[in-house]
C-alpha cells in the first residue's frame, strides 16, 4: 500500500472502525466539569429572569420629569435584592413591612411624583421605567434611613440603568449546543437558565497497552538495556485531557502471544504503542495481521507506521513506539476518534485550532512526508513566530522536551527546508 496522507488514514480508520457516540448519563452541575453536553441545553428561565435595577438608586418614571430640574419625588417604597418588590400600581396599595426588604414609606409625600429606593438586582416596580443612580440625587450613599423625598439633579432616559428580562437570553432559546465541553463559564450559564443537573455523554473507557520488554515502571531502577515507560503515562493523560477515562494501563512484553493475552474487554477503545513497524520484535503487527487488522504507512514525520483493528468487538488504535510519534499520532488519530465517541463532530472532522504563523527559525524537513514539529510561539519584533522546542527538531525520541510544546508546526510534504519567515500552519497540541 502506498503511503497515505494523515487525512486519508484517519478517514480509513473511521470507515473501518465506525466510531459512534456513546450513551449518556445525568450528573449534577458540580460533577459536570469537562464533560460533553449530550443534547442542546434549552433555557428554562430568562436571563435576567425579571426586569431589575443595574444600580443602587431610585426607580422612577421618565414622564414625571417635567420642566427644568432639579426634580423632587416622594419616596414611596424601598426595594431590596431578593424581595418580591412592592405591590403595584398605586401608592395606596404599596403595603408596609420591613423597609430593608421591600416596604413602603409609612408617610409618603403623595402630592409629588413617586420614586422607590432600589438596590442593584432588585425587581423594578411596574410603574417605573428608569433608575436614577444615588450620585445624581441628594440621598446619602450607603446605609441610611429611608427618606420621605429625594431630589434628582439629572433626568434619566427611558430604560436607563434597567436590566430587562431576557435581554441576555430568552426562555426557550438554546443556551449551549450539544457537543459543548462544559467548563466553569458554561456551567455557570446552565445554572443561570435553570439547570441543576445536565445530561452528558459517557466518558469513553480506554485501555492503554505499551509494548516493549525494555520498559520499566516509572520511578523504578533501570536494569541493563531498560528505559522508563513514558508512553503509558503520556497516552493515559492525553486520553483524560480528551475527555476519556483510562481504565487500564499496562506494559506488555515483545511477543505476539503476550500482547494477545493482554488485550482487555469491557472498554470502548484500546490504544497501543510500539510494535507496529518492520522489526523482528513487533508483536502488535504480528498479532494484528493474523487477526485481519490494517497496517499502513502514513506520509508523516514522526509517526509513519500506524495500525488499527478490532479485538473481540473493541476498536484498537495501534501507534508507533517513540514518544513524540505517540504524541503526534494521538493528536491526529486518537483524539478525533475519541471526539466521535463523545459526539464532538467539530473535532472529529476538522481542526478548529489550525492557524498560520511565520517560522522564527530555519530547519530541514523530509521530502515526501508531512512534518509535525513540537514547537512554541515566541515574539519576534512584536509579532508571533513559531520555533521548534528542541534543536533537533522533530526527533521522535525527544520526550523530555515535549512538555515545552505549545503547538505543532506543520511542514508540507513537498517542502524540504523551512526558512525564517515561511508561513506555516500550526495546530494546538
Amino acid at each position: 500500500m502506498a503511503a497515505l496522507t494523515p487525512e486519508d488514514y484517519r478517514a480509513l480508520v473511521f470507515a473501518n472502525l465506525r466510531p459512534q457516540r456513546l450513551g449518556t448519563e445525568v450528573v449534577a452541575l458540580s460533577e459536570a466539569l469537562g464533560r460533553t453536553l449530550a443534547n442542546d441545553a434549552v433555557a428554562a428561565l430568562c436571563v435576567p429572569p425579571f426586569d431589575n435595577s443595574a444600580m443602587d438608586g431610585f426607580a422612577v418614571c421618565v414622564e414625571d420629569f417635567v420642566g427644568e430640574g432639579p426634580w423632587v419625588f416622594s419616596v414611596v417604597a424601598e426595594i431590596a435584592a431578593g424581595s418580591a418588590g412592592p405591590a403595584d400600581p398605586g401608592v395606596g396599595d404599596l403595603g408596609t413591612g420591613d423597609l430593608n426588604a421591600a416596604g413602603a414609606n409609612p408617610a409618603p409625600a403623595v402630592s409629588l411624583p413617586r420614586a422607590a429606593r432600589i438596590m442593584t438586582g432588585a425587581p423594578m416596580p411596574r410603574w417605573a421605567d428608569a433608575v436614577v443612580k444615588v450620585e445624581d440625587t441628594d440621598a446619602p450613599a450607603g446605609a441610611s434611613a429611608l427618606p420621605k423625598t429625594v431630589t434628582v439633579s439629572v433626568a434619566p432616559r427611558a430604560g436607563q440603568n434597567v436590566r430587562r428580562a431576557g435581554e441576555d437570553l430568552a426562555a426557550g432559546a438554546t443556551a449551549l449546543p450539544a457537543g459543548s465541553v462544559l467548563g466553569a463559564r458554561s456551567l455557570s450559564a446552565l445554572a443561570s437558565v435553570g439547570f441543576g443537573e445536565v445530561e452528558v455523554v459517557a466518558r469513553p473507557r480506554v485501555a492503554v497497552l505499551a509494548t516493549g520488554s525494555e520498559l520499566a515502571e516509572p520511578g523504578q531502577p533501570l536494569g541493563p538495556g531498560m528505559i522508563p515507560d513514558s508512553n503509558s503515562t503520556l497516552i493515559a493523560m492525553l486520553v483524560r485531557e480528551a475527555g476519556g477515562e483510562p481504565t487500564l494501563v499496562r506494559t506488555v512484553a515483545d511477543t505476539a502471544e503476550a500482547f494477545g493475552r493482554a488485550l482487555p474487554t469491557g472498554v470502548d477503545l484500546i490504544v497501543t504503542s510500539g510494535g507496529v513497524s518492520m522489526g523482528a520484535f513487533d508483536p502488535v503487527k504480528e498479532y494484528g495481521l493474523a487477526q485481519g487488522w490494517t497496517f499502513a504507512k502514513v506520509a508523516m514525520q514522526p509517526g509513519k507506521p500506524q495500525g488499527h483493528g478490532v479485538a473481540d468487538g473493541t476498536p484498537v488504535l495501534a501507534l508507533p513506539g517513540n514518544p513524540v510519534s505517540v504524541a503526534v499520532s494521538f493528536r491526529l488519530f486518537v483524539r478525533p476518534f475519541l471526539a466521535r465517541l463523545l459526539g464532538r463532530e467539530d473535532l472529529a472532522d476538522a481542526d478548529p485550532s489550525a492557524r498560520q504563523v511565520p517560522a522564527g527559525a530555519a530547519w530541514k524537513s523530509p521530502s515526501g512526508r508531512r512534518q509535525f514539529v513540537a514547537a512554541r510561539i515566541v515574539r519576534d519584533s512584536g509579532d508571533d513566530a513559531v520555533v521548534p522546542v528542541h534543536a533537533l527538531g522533530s526527533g521522535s525520541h525527544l520526550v523530555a522536551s515535549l512538555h515545552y510544546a505549545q503547538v505543532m508546526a506543520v511542514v508540507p510534504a513537498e517542502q524540504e527546508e523551512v526558512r525564517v519567515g515561511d508561513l506555516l500552519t500550526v495546530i494546538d497540541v
Side-chain angles (χ1 to χ4, degrees), residues 36-188:
T36 302
L37 187 64
N39 304 299
D40 289 350
V42 177
L45 303 174
C46 290
V47 181
F50 49 84
D51 292 354
N52 68 88
S53 176
M55 289 279 185
D56 292 335
F58 291 83
V60 295
C61 179
V62 170
E63 289 184 354
D64 290 331
F65 287 81
V66 178
E68 297 293 325
W71 301 267
V72 181
F73 290 78
S74 174
V75 180
V76 299
E78 180 168 71
I79 314 171
S83 71
D88 286 316
V91 174
D93 57 5
L94 283 169
T96 60
D98 182 359
L99 297 185
N100 291 322
N105 196 324
V110 294
S111 62
L112 298 172
R114 59 187 162 177
R117 186 160 76 172
I118 193 167
M119 309 307 164
T120 302
M124 290 287 293
R126 282 195 292 271
W127 49 263
D129 59 7
V131 173
V132 177
K133 60 183 179 180
V134 172
E135 294 87 342
D136 290 338
T137 74
D138 65 348
S144 63
L146 186 68
K148 291 184 179 180
T149 63
V150 64
T151 299
V152 179
S153 58
V154 180
R157 66 181 184 278
Q160 186 169 324
N161 298 323
V162 177
R163 303 163 176 160
R164 294 300 182 189
E167 69 179 20
D168 186 8
L169 192 72
T174 298
L176 290 173
S180 298
V181 175
L182 299 175
R185 285 167 287 277
S186 51
L187 289 169
S188 173

Side-chain angles (χ1 to χ4, degrees), residues 35 120 128 130 142 153 200 210 265 278-279 304 322 325 329 347 354 356 373:
R35 303 298 296 273
T120 302
S153 58
V200 296
T265 58
M278 302 294 292
K304 182 178 180 181
N322 284 312
S325 299
S329 301
L347 292 182
Q356 299 287 303
V373 179

Side-chain angles (χ1 to χ4, degrees), residues 215-223 226-229:
L215 300 178
E217 291 288 331
Q220 296 301 308
L222 299 180
M226 302 289 286
I227 61 172
D229 172 21

Side-chain angles (χ1 to χ4, degrees), residues 318-345:
L319 313 182
N322 284 312
V324 181
S325 299
V326 167
V328 173
S329 301
F330 190 99
R331 179 65 175 79
L332 298 183
F333 309 127
V334 183
R335 196 167 96 167
F337 196 95
L338 290 171
R340 184 65 62 86
L341 296 182
L342 287 165
R344 295 213 54 197
E345 299 303 321

Side-chain angles (χ1 to χ4, degrees), residues 273-302:
S273 67
V276 296
S277 190
M278 302 294 292
F281 299 98
D282 282 323
V284 177
K285 191 169 187 179
E286 181 182 347
Y287 177 87
L289 287 174
Q291 304 299 317
W293 295 5
T294 299
F295 292 87
K297 295 177 181 178
V298 182
M300 57 187 276
Q301 185 207 40

